[in-house]
Amino acid sequence: MSTPFFSIVIPSYNRASLLPSTLESIWRQSFSDFEVLLVNDGSTDNTGELLVSIQNKETRLKIISQENTERGAARNNGWKNASGKYVVFFDSDDLMHHTYLQEMHKIIEATHPEMVCGKIQFQDEKGGIKQHIDQKGLFGLYNYKLFLKGNPIACHFAVKNTIHAFKPFHEDRELASMEDWIFLLENTQSRHIYIHSEPLITMRIHSEQSMKQDQTIAQRKLQALDYLERNVQLGSKEFKLLKGYAFENIGIHFVNSRYFKDAISMFWKSFKLKGPSNKMIYNFMRMGVVFMQNHSK
C-alpha cells in the first residue's frame, strides 16, 4: 500500500450530529491522496456506530478509539498512527473547502515548508459567513512572533510528518483549548509556518463549541500564560507583548460573560503592557451599551 501524501487527524468528542458533513467536505476534496484518522475521544453519543457505518463505505477512514483525554492527547494519538508525508490537524465540527488539500499541496511542492495552513472563515448558525479579522493581511512565512498576539489560525494547519522534530501537543486537561496556541509558539521558535492568502476552511459557530465557554477559556488562558512564561524562551519586550495581548483577550471573554469588573482589570493590565487597541475600545463601548440599557429600564 502506497504512503498517502496527507494524513488528516481529527479528534472528536460527541460530534455525531456534525461529523457527517465534516467528513463529506473531506471526501469531496479535489486532491485525493490522503487518509483520515478519526480519534474518537471517549464519545458518549452514537459517534462510534456512525463512524463504523461511514468506514464501510469509505476505506480511507481509520478509526482510533480511546478514553476521553481531551484534544491534545487525541491529536498526538492520531499523529503517532499517521503515515502521510504531511499531517493535517482538523476539527470535527468544521468544513474543508473543495480545494484545501490541493492548495496545501501546491505550497508544499513549491516551498517545502515544515508547517503550512490556509485561512479561516466563520459560519454562524443561520449560515452567515464572516471573515476572520485577525487574519487580515496575513500571507507568507511567519515565526513565533505572530503568536505573541494569540492564535489567529486555531488548529487548522499541516506539519511535515517528522514527529520527533516537533514538540507534541500538551495533554494537560487544565490547558485544554490552549494546546494549539502553545504548540504553535513552541514549534515556531526555530521554524516558520506558511499561511496561504485565501480562506480554505469554514469554522462553524454552534452552541456546543468549546471556545464559546468564556469564563473557562479566560481561566485556561491565564494558566497557559503561566506555562509559556516558564517554558518558552522570549525577550523581555516579547513577554510584555505576550502578556498584554493575553490580558486583552481574557478581558474580551469577561465582557462576553458580563464580568465587567474583571474585564476592566484585564484591559488595564493590557493597556499598561502594550497600550490601547481598537478591540479594547470596541469592548469598552459594548460594556457602555449594556450599562446604559440596564439604567434605562
Side-chain angles (χ1 to χ4, degrees), residues 125-152:
E125 292 174 292
K126 295 181 179 180
I129 298 295
K130 183 179 180 181
Q131 301 306 311
H132 193 335
I133 190 170
D134 289 340
Q135 293 185 335
K136 186 177 180 179
L138 295 182
F139 173 58
L141 290 169
Y142 294 87
N143 65 4
Y144 71 96
K145 292 182 180 180
L146 174 65
F147 304 105
L148 296 177
K149 298 181 180 182
N151 178 11

Side-chain angles (χ1 to χ4, degrees), residues 259-277:
Y259 282 75
F260 293 153
K261 289 184 179 180
D262 292 323
I264 291 170
S265 174
M266 286 295 159
F267 287 146
W268 176 242
K269 289 181 179 181
S270 174
F271 177 83
K272 290 191 293 183
L273 288 167
K274 71 172 188 62
S277 71

Side-chain angles (χ1 to χ4, degrees), residues 2-62:
S2 61
T3 299
F5 193 89
F6 290 110
S7 291
I8 305 170
V9 173
I10 306 175
S12 187
Y13 175 72
N14 288 354
R15 289 285 187 265
S17 63
L18 294 168
L19 267 175
S21 52
T22 293
L23 289 170
E24 186 59 33
S25 76
I26 297 173
W27 309 141
R28 291 199 304 260
Q29 288 297 297
S30 56
F31 184 91
S32 60
D33 189 13
F34 64 84
E35 64 176 359
V36 175
L37 295 97
L38 200 301
V39 184
N40 183 6
D41 189 28
S43 295
T44 57
D45 62 2
N46 65 321
T47 291
E49 295 85 348
L50 173 68
L51 291 176
V52 170
S53 68
I54 294 173
Q55 189 181 49
N56 289 335
K57 303 173 185 176
E58 179 51 71
T59 58
R60 287 175 294 183
L61 176 63
K62 298 180 180 179

Side-chain angles (χ1 to χ4, degrees), residues 4-10 22-37 58 60 84-91 95-110 113 116-119 155-159 196 198-202:
F5 193 89
F6 290 110
S7 291
I8 305 170
V9 173
I10 306 175
T22 293
L23 289 170
E24 186 59 33
S25 76
I26 297 173
W27 309 141
R28 291 199 304 260
Q29 288 297 297
S30 56
F31 184 91
S32 60
D33 189 13
F34 64 84
E35 64 176 359
V36 175
L37 295 97
E58 179 51 71
R60 287 175 294 183
K85 297 176 183 176
Y86 276 77
V87 177
V88 176
F89 297 106
F90 202 70
D91 284 338
L95 303 171
M96 281 188 183
H97 296 194
H98 178 61
T99 60
Y100 173 78
L101 292 180
Q102 182 179 324
E103 293 299 321
M104 294 295 98
H105 183 259
K106 285 180 182 177
I107 293 169
I108 290 166
E109 291 295 287
V116 60
C117 76
K119 288 185 177 180
C155 193
H156 294 305
F157 52 86
V159 301
H196 184 57
E198 300 296 329
L200 295 171
I201 295 158
T202 296

Side-chain angles (χ1 to χ4, degrees), residues 86 111-117 140-147 153 157-160 166 184 186-195:
Y86 276 77
T111 64
H112 307 287
E114 290 184 271
M115 306 174 70
V116 60
C117 76
L141 290 169
Y142 294 87
N143 65 4
Y144 71 96
K145 292 182 180 180
L146 174 65
F147 304 105
I153 66 173
F157 52 86
V159 301
K160 194 172 184 180
F166 290 89
L184 289 163
E186 288 187 320
N187 284 291
T188 54
Q189 292 280 302
S190 58
R191 58 177 61 86
H192 292 78
I193 184 167
Y194 189 101
I195 300 179

Side-chain angles (χ1 to χ4, degrees), residues 232-254:
V232 177
Q233 295 297 316
L234 296 173
S236 58
K237 290 183 179 180
E238 292 173 334
F239 267 126
K240 284 185 178 181
L241 277 178
L242 179 74
K243 293 171 67 176
Y245 280 102
F247 290 148
E248 178 180 86
N249 181 262
I250 292 166
I252 293 170
H253 282 293
F254 280 138

